[in-house]
Amino acid sequence: MKKTAIILPAAMLALTALVGCSTKEMGGVVSTDGSTSMERVICTLGEAFLEANPRMSFTYNPTGSGSGIQAVREGRCDIGLSSRALKPEEVAQGLTGTVLSYDGIAIIVNPNNPVSDLDVYTVAKLYKGEIANWKEIGGEDLPVVLIGREAGSGTRSGFEEATGTSKKCKYRQELTSTGNVITAVAQNPGAVGYASLASIEDSVKVLKIGGVTPTEESVKSGQYAVQRPFVMVTKTGVPLSAAAQTFVDFARSADGAKLIVKAGSVPAN
């Protein structure tokens, strides 16, 4: 019998397989830290990885992309997780980014909002504060409430890069997790927010962008405009531990790709 212990992300998600059959006899710990948007992908991979490697442990600390990048740079984890590409200065600091998959960033509104389709230009105008009331774009007579992620969030970086709104957004609320954004939008009739496609819940309404619904197919084809990479970050030229390298190889394998699709993302290879 296999036993898996899971502590949900109040602080850290820890998955530990204690007994079971395995094709691997090697033990060890794989520690990951970073993007909250990558939770579903990483946990799906982590659980399957432990089933195949029951003598290993796997941890995921959902701190946000910026914190995950810093953690791997400081040697506090094996693999940093970032939902944006590395910046040139981060590469210069000795970090390497390996794209694991691609994720659509869904633009979300309250379920009662009649607006269903916007283009990227209009989304940008909303977030720059140039459209202040939903009635200006076919909605109800309600003020627009702009919800977004905190500075350093990979989701925020990806959204602002895709919409051309970097340093121009007039956020009402800047929240520290994908789940908090979804909850805030679900509870406010005038709210608009953005979140990883893989994390979307029925409590919010997903907008089409330029007539295109964010799906695995539209992200993979490039038709859906608002998307970003999910990246595994490691130290350049520094070999991973045997356990961590085994996880990376598994995540990038054909079996890993199937699990990534199951988790709602698009494999990079």
Side-chain angles (χ1 to χ4, degrees):
M1 173 180 279
K2 176 178 71 66
K3 181 178 179 182
T4 302
I6 302 178
I7 302 173
L8 293 174
M12 175 182 286
L13 173 69
L15 304 118
T16 308
L18 301 179
V19 293
C21 299
S22 174
T23 58
K24 304 282 185 180
E25 294 303 320
M26 176 176 59
V29 177
V30 182
S31 59
T32 68
D33 189 307
S35 171
T36 62
S37 297
M38 292 177 69
E39 177 178 333
R40 187 170 297 180
V41 169
I42 290 300
C43 291
T44 298
L45 289 169
E47 288 170 350
F49 175 72
L50 290 177
E51 288 180 1
N53 301 277
R55 295 185 60 190
M56 293 189 189
S57 296
F58 181 91
T59 64
Y60 161 61
N61 195 11
T63 59
S65 297
S67 296
I69 291 168
Q70 183 176 352
V72 75
R73 184 169 55 234
E74 295 176 354
R76 292 185 283 110
C77 70
D78 296 307
I79 302 164
L81 304 171
S82 176
S83 50
R84 62 167 174 80
L86 289 179
K87 300 174 182 177
E89 57 267 31
E90 292 166 339
V91 174
Q93 291 168 354
L95 298 178
T96 294
T98 301
V99 177
L100 176 64
S101 64
Y102 294 94
D103 177 60
I105 300 176
I107 313 304
I108 56 175
V109 296
N110 186 273
N112 295 321
N113 192 325
V115 174
S116 60
D117 191 346
L118 297 175
D119 56 27
V120 172
Y121 177 71
T122 303
V123 172
K125 289 186 70 176
L126 280 169
Y127 269 87
K128 289 188 289 185
E130 296 172 7
I131 297 173
N133 193 297
W134 284 105
K135 68 180 180 181
E136 299 176 50
I137 51 174
E140 301 291 341
D141 184 6
L142 285 172
V144 175
V145 179
L146 301 173
I147 309 295
R149 289 292 303 277
E150 80 287 3
S153 159
T155 309
R156 173 168 168 167
S157 296
F159 168 79
E160 292 184 354
E161 181 177 343
T163 57
T165 56
S166 297
K167 300 182 180 179
K168 298 176 183 177
C169 293
K170 309 295 184 182
Y171 294 110
R172 174 75 65 84
Q173 295 183 54
E174 299 178 50
L175 304 175
T176 57
S177 76
T178 296
N180 288 342
V181 170
I182 292 171
T183 298
V185 172
Q187 294 176 347
N188 192 319
V192 59
Y194 50 80
S196 167
L197 178 60
S199 302
I200 293 301
E201 301 172 1
D202 292 339
S203 59
V204 293
K205 176 180 176 178
V206 176
L207 298 183
K208 294 180 180 179
I209 300 299
V212 179
T213 301
T215 62
E216 177 191 333
E217 291 76 18
S218 64
V219 171
K220 188 171 185 178
S221 69
Q223 288 182 297
Y224 185 72
V226 189
Q227 59 173 281
R228 44 73 188 274
F230 279 169
V231 180
M232 296 186 291
V233 183
T234 54
K235 286 188 175 181
T236 305
V238 179
L240 290 168
S241 69
Q245 186 62 58
T246 300
F247 173 75
V248 169
D249 292 343
F250 170 73
R252 302 188 70 202
S253 69
D255 287 339
K258 293 176 184 177
L259 292 166
I260 289 168
V261 170
K262 180 180 178 182
S265 193
V266 179
N269 55 318

